[in-house]
Amino acid sequence: MDLSADDLADRLAAGGRLVDERWREGLRAVPRHLFVPERAAVVPDRPRYEPFDIDRSADPDAWLRAVYDDTAIAAQTDGSGVWTSSCSAPAIVVIFLQELRPLEHHRVLEVGTGTGWTAGLLAWRVGGRNVVSVEIDPELSRRAADNLRAAGFAPSLVVGDGAEGFAEGAPYDRVHVTCGVERVPRAWLEQTRPGGVIVMPWSPAWGMGHVARLTVANGTAVGRLTGPAGFMMLRSQRRAFGAPPRAAEQSAEADRSRTRLDPRVLLGQSPGAEIAVAALAPGARAHVETGPGGVARLWAIDDGPGGTAWAAADFEPGADAFPVRQYGARRLWDEVEAAYLRWVEWGQPDRERYGLTVTPDGQRVWLDRPDRILART
């Protein structure tokens, strides 16, 4: 593998990710290797590959190969092994910057400084004085400042809750969000000037995240979903992982039935189907248990403030129908299945036909046009 920013840009362009050639110069001017820790974990965006550690002092060539590969690199964990910050994969970084479309005079708010790499790329594009990057973790912000200094850039770095933005620097022409968001904070709308743009990973509970490009107008924001985006969640919106902790003891009380719908079609088959489920079964999150043949059990879980509800559907090879258990105040499997079948009835729309409208009172998910509302949250 070639080991330079130019070679990385060549691969991104060949794969159709790098379209605006100005960002090729940005990748060269803000080299990624200045922002990756000496020791880190590589998180390949390929299901068949497992994460692996890199150590610059032990194997500098392997470290550099990882830096200039198109893969995310975890830069921090919470002590239990859960990743809490990363240097995002170059392809998604370039996609977000191209969606943002910043101009030289634009003032940019970035939510989630992380390693500082994207703050550096933004500073290269619009000038350091026009970039404010907010990071909730003081240690990450300190490291990012060191990285940026080494690269020759000096955007304004703020330690604080990114959900609150940074009012002192408003109004902003662009808001660049580097963490998953289920509910768009009101502060971002209030701090963005009319006509300004917010680009973020919209990450509802069900399925993967989506690139959302929203344009602000008089306290509201409207826009479409444009592609995939899997990011760590905004810390104030992080949710549980895994199956419900008391599911085994609750199982005896669960309602039992069977479904003819193959549980495997509900995840990974179509982003459009996942958005339909997220909209029509709000608050439901998915968890997959896998076996030797792939998906063995699909969970739908609501562990919100109203109390835990869950459903589990088991895949049985060759079966005409699949066993389902449902527990709690919501019949979650019924909701999820109905949402998927509604999506089929709509003609199986793809991701790009969906959009979001955000107002001070909440969010609306829509299909094709803003007045065709699927859900309000």
Side-chain angles (χ1 to χ4, degrees):
M1 178 183 297
D2 295 318
L3 306 177
S4 75
D6 277 321
D7 298 317
L8 172 61
D10 286 343
R11 296 195 301 275
L12 295 178
R17 303 303 184 91
L18 177 59
V19 178
D20 184 344
E21 282 291 317
R22 286 174 296 185
W23 290 110
R24 173 188 291 273
E25 185 179 346
L27 293 174
R28 186 186 303 119
V30 193
R32 194 183 188 216
H33 68 265
L34 296 179
F35 296 86
V36 173
E38 299 278 314
R39 299 178 65 187
V42 178
V43 190
D45 187 21
R46 307 173 182 90
R48 67 181 182 276
Y49 295 145
E50 293 294 327
F52 59 91
D53 293 334
I54 52 174
D55 186 330
R56 188 174 190 175
S57 61
D59 192 340
D61 290 339
W63 183 88
L64 197 60
R65 281 195 299 272
V67 167
Y68 286 106
D69 194 7
D70 182 25
T71 189
I73 298 177
Q76 185 193 63
T77 68
D78 64 0
S80 66
V82 176
W83 299 307
T84 53
S85 181
S86 71
C87 189
S88 298
I92 195 65
V93 166
V94 167
I95 287 169
F96 265 64
L97 293 172
Q98 290 174 154
E99 289 285 356
L100 198 69
R101 300 171 206 165
L103 302 178
E104 285 82 354
H105 65 279
H106 278 165
R107 187 156 180 80
V108 182
L109 170 67
E110 179 177 64
V111 177
T113 310
T115 66
W117 188 39
T118 53
L121 288 163
L122 289 167
W124 167 82
R125 183 73 180 92
V126 304
R129 68 187 182 281
N130 287 327
V131 177
V132 177
S133 185
V134 182
E135 171 59 55
I136 197 169
D137 187 303
E139 177 60 20
L140 281 177
S141 185
R142 185 195 64 76
R143 291 185 210 164
D146 291 342
N147 296 340
L148 286 158
R149 191 177 304 111
F153 296 97
S156 297
L157 303 187
V158 175
V159 176
D161 185 351
E164 298 176 0
F166 187 66
E168 290 88 336
Y172 300 101
D173 301 281
R174 297 289 188 267
V175 178
H176 179 256
V177 184
T178 69
C179 49
V181 178
E182 184 172 6
R183 301 172 304 281
V184 180
R186 181 183 298 185
W188 298 354
L189 273 64
E190 294 172 344
Q191 294 173 24
T192 304
R193 70 171 75 250
V197 171
I198 301 171
V199 176
M200 65 178 197
W202 181 58
S203 303
W206 191 270
M208 289 294 292
H210 316 273
V211 181
R213 188 180 197 273
L214 309 179
T215 302
V216 174
N218 300 320
T220 66
V222 184
R224 291 186 178 272
L225 308 181
T226 63
F231 279 70
M232 299 174 188
M233 294 295 292
L234 183 74
R235 294 202 183 187
S236 60
Q237 296 188 18
R238 287 184 180 171
R239 55 181 77 98
F241 293 95
R246 297 184 58 222
E249 59 189 87
Q250 294 166 344
S251 185
E253 303 173 38
D255 296 331
R256 296 174 183 271
S257 61
R258 296 184 74 83
T259 179
R260 295 177 61 198
L261 182 69
D262 187 333
R264 296 173 299 175
V265 306
L266 289 168
L267 280 177
Q269 298 291 313
S270 168
E274 293 179 3
I275 297 166
V277 173
L280 300 179
R285 66 175 176 88
H287 172 66
V288 177
E289 292 180 10
T290 57
V295 175
R297 176 172 296 155
L298 174 64
W299 294 82
I301 305 160
D302 178 1
D303 36 24
T308 298
W310 57 264
D314 293 346
F315 171 72
E316 296 179 344
D320 293 329
F322 307 96
V324 174
R325 291 168 292 149
Q326 302 187 78
Y327 174 88
R330 297 178 65 180
R331 301 275 297 181
L332 275 176
W333 179 260
D334 295 348
E335 291 185 40
V336 168
E337 182 177 279
Y340 175 84
L341 295 177
R342 286 284 300 278
W343 172 76
V344 173
E345 292 170 355
W346 295 336
Q348 304 180 50
D350 292 333
R351 176 183 5 238
E352 289 72 16
R353 289 178 57 188
Y354 293 90
L356 296 177
T357 297
V358 185
T359 72
D361 300 321
Q363 295 181 183
R364 299 191 290 271
V365 182
W366 45 265
L367 178 64
D368 291 330
R369 58 181 192 266
D371 63 346
R372 191 178 176 186
I373 298 168
L374 304 181
R376 301 175 188 267
T377 59

